[in-house]
Amino acid sequence: MNWIILIIAGLFEVGFTTCLGKAKETNGTASMLWIIGFFVSLSVSMLLLYKATQTLPMGTAYAVWTGIGAVGTVIIGIIFFKEPVDFWRIFFIAALIGSIVGLKFVSH
């Protein structure tokens, strides 16, 4: 169950980075709403990370959380923010995903 909580925490990390990107692109009320979304996502992400670390090793949980956030943020950047896509970027994202999966399998 705590692995599911950790994955959800990582998805909220993607949420708060996405909100930062959208806040940068907008101004006025829209920007303020994205900033509020940032703080809500940040709070939920940290709370769920804290909950997951109650039973998972801290180092593993943190590495998986940041890995999910990094991979998700890159994918969101490519899809919604028109960030560049090239072989090496995809290669290293795949390596990061492999590392996250590997940590899951070696953690007891």
Side-chain angles (χ1 to χ4, degrees):
M1 180 65 180
N2 281 318
W3 281 99
I4 293 169
I5 291 170
L6 184 60
I7 290 167
I8 295 168
L11 295 175
F12 273 97
E13 184 184 4
V14 175
F16 73 72
T17 57
T18 302
C19 288
L20 279 178
K22 294 302 279 182
K24 184 176 74 171
E25 290 182 348
T26 58
N27 51 37
T29 303
S31 180
M32 193 52 71
L33 290 173
W34 285 112
I35 291 170
I36 291 168
F38 163 79
F39 283 113
V40 169
S41 295
L42 177 65
S43 299
V44 172
S45 183
M46 292 295 164
L47 180 66
L48 293 175
L49 176 61
Y50 169 75
K51 175 79 173 139
T53 59
Q54 299 304 302
T55 58
L56 298 174
M58 177 65 76
T60 300
Y62 184 74
V64 170
W65 178 75
T66 57
I68 291 169
V71 169
T73 300
V74 169
I75 291 169
I76 293 295
I78 289 169
I79 294 171
F80 294 106
F81 296 105
K82 308 298 185 238
E83 292 180 1
V85 181
D86 60 27
F87 170 79
W88 289 112
R89 194 163 192 197
I90 299 303
F91 173 81
F92 286 115
I93 290 297
L96 187 54
I97 293 169
S99 297
I100 293 167
V101 171
L103 280 172
K104 162 69 171 112
F105 286 116
V106 300
S107 295
H108 300 349

